[in-house]
Each structure stands twice: as C-alpha cells, then as structure tokens.
Amino acid sequence: DAKTTQPPSMDCAEGRAANLPCNHSTISGNEYVYWYRQIHSQGPQYIIHGLKNNETNEMASLIITEDRKSSTLILPHATLRDTAVYYCIVISNFGNEKLTFGTGTRLTIIP
Amino acid sequence: NAGVTQTPKFQVLKTGQSMTLQCAQDMNHNSMYWYRQDPGMGLRLIYYSASEGTTDKGEVPNGYNVSRLNKREFSLRLESAAPSQTSVYFCASKSWAGLAGGNEQFFGPGTRLTVL
C-alpha cells in the first residue's frame, strides 16, 4: 500500500510561492515526513524533513497538520530552477530504513 | 568534497554481457544504496549496505550482485545483462549517527545503462 499520495503535476508562476501537498493518513508515531526533489536527469536531492512541528531551512518550509495526516512543502519564491519532481516520503528515523520513492509531483515553474 | 561519484556515466551493453557499476563517497558515510529508475517512474531500491561488510536485498535485487569493497566504495554488478535492466542507476549514501541516524541520503549523478 502506498504510504503517501501526491498530485501528479502542478504549475506555479515564477516568483510566487509553490505549495506542494502530500497526504499520509496512515503515518505512525515514529515516522517522519521527508521531501526530496529530482531535477531532470539528476540524482534526487534532500530538501527538508519533520516529525510534527513546522520546519524551515534555506530551501523550503514544511507545514505538518496537527493530526499529522498531511503536509505541505512550501517553496517561498519559486524560480525556474525549482522545476523538478518532488517526492514526499514517510519513514522512520531510526535504524536503517530504506527510502521508498513513489511517482511524486512534477512541479513546473512558469516564467 | 566530491560527494558521491559514479562511473561510468553512460554504458551500452549487448544482452548477456556483464559489467560493474562503480560508486564511491568521500563523506565517511556508513550506509550506501543502489537504486534504479525506469522512465517516468520513481526510484526502486536494488541493494543496500548498512555498514562495511554487510549487504542486503532491496525491492528489485534479481539479476544483480553487489560488493561493499570498503567504507567508501559500493559496486553493482550485472552478470548477464538483459534489456529489462535498461535504466538509470543511482548510488546514494547516508550517515548513521547512532539510532536516530536520520534519512538524509546523498545521491550520485547516475549511470545511464542501455541493454540491447
């Protein structure tokens, strides 16, 4: 069973905030939400992760709902270089869990 | 730091040929991974190595073997290549800082393999 559900594609105007949703209704208490992205033909790149509190780093912000069943990745000022496939992954932070990539959301930034 | 490096970048094989994909990381990471990505699909785990001297199967191990040569290097071998193994192969590594090691994996640039 898929652990996360994401829309297959989204568009966002350059300079605007890109908000990428992810549903993870079966998340368990010790599982974190991770976001990666893959720019065309490159290896995936880690963006951010969180457990239950909102998180922010130099790349993005992560908003997790209080019930932890969904989250939103926010790219505050999208640029053309943010065009990529974005993957939301739910995984325990302990031990040596393996990342499971779904098909993600293809985000296109429009000039 | 070069991060994660992979060789070769491109390879074309004929059915039945063998080859080894090389991966090396200079971040002193304990864990290393091999994934494949077919066109339009997400990544699927082939094999992983939690630490030097150990390897385990992932989601799609059939047709592949791996060797964790040392802490830096993790190679993937195709003994008898098949057209179904045409894919892009990514190597990744991760630090393991005790129990709460986190899952920030660092990926290489990939090897594009075509099997005719």
Side-chain angles (χ1 to χ4, degrees):
Chain A
D1 289 343
K3 281 193 167 184
T4 64
T5 304
Q6 299 177 252
S9 63
M10 293 180 62
D11 293 338
C12 178
E14 187 178 17
R16 305 295 294 267
N19 295 279
L20 291 89
C22 180
N23 288 323
H24 31 80
S25 58
T26 60
I27 192 170
S28 61
N30 67 345
E31 289 182 320
Y32 287 66
V33 180
Y34 276 75
W35 284 84
Y36 281 75
R37 73 179 182 183
Q38 187 174 23
I39 297 170
H40 181 62
S41 299
Q42 298 180 21
Q45 177 190 23
Y46 164 81
I47 301 173
I48 198 169
H49 74 279
L51 182 63
K52 56 183 178 180
N53 297 320
N54 298 338
E55 303 287 345
T56 295
N57 63 20
E58 65 278 5
M59 290 182 66
S61 295
L62 175 60
I63 308 297
I64 302 174
T65 58
E66 192 168 345
D67 63 7
R68 303 210 321 123
K69 292 184 177 182
S70 65
S71 61
T72 301
L73 178 75
I74 301 172
L75 307 177
H77 304 287
T79 71
L80 298 178
R81 289 176 294 180
D82 292 321
T83 292
V85 178
Y86 288 77
Y87 297 97
C88 170
I89 299 169
V90 167
I91 188 169
S92 170
N93 231 25
F94 294 87
N96 196 53
E97 295 285 334
K98 287 81 69 179
L99 296 176
T100 299
F101 289 82
T103 51
T105 295
R106 181 172 298 278
L107 175 67
T108 302
I109 306 303
I110 301 171
Chain B
N1 287 351
V4 179
T5 57
Q6 293 184 235
T7 55
K9 288 186 169 58
F10 300 92
Q11 184 71 51
V12 178
L13 294 177
K14 294 181 179 178
T15 297
Q17 287 185 317
S18 62
M19 78 160 296
T20 300
L21 282 65
Q22 306 287 352
C23 174
Q25 52 89 11
D26 62 1
M27 296 173 283
N28 201 35
H29 285 171
N30 293 93
S31 302
M32 297 185 73
Y33 307 79
W34 275 106
Y35 295 87
R36 62 175 287 175
Q37 185 173 35
D38 300 331
M41 306 285 287
L43 281 74
R44 292 184 293 171
L45 183 66
I46 305 171
Y47 270 92
Y48 69 101
S49 171
S51 62
E52 187 178 353
T54 68
T55 61
D56 285 286
K57 295 179 180 179
E59 183 185 354
V60 288
N62 291 346
Y64 304 96
N65 286 303
V66 290
S67 295
R68 183 72 182 269
L69 304 171
N70 47 55
K71 192 172 186 179
R72 289 187 64 250
E73 299 171 290
F74 188 39
S75 62
L76 178 72
R77 182 160 178 83
L78 287 71
E79 290 291 352
S80 178
S84 61
Q85 294 178 304
T86 292
S87 190
V88 181
Y89 291 83
F90 291 102
C91 178
S93 70
K94 183 184 81 136
S95 178
W96 190 77
L99 288 177
N103 276 294
E104 182 183 346
Q105 292 189 15
F106 293 82
F107 285 80
T111 293
R112 283 144 187 82
L113 175 68
T114 301
V115 183
L116 303 176

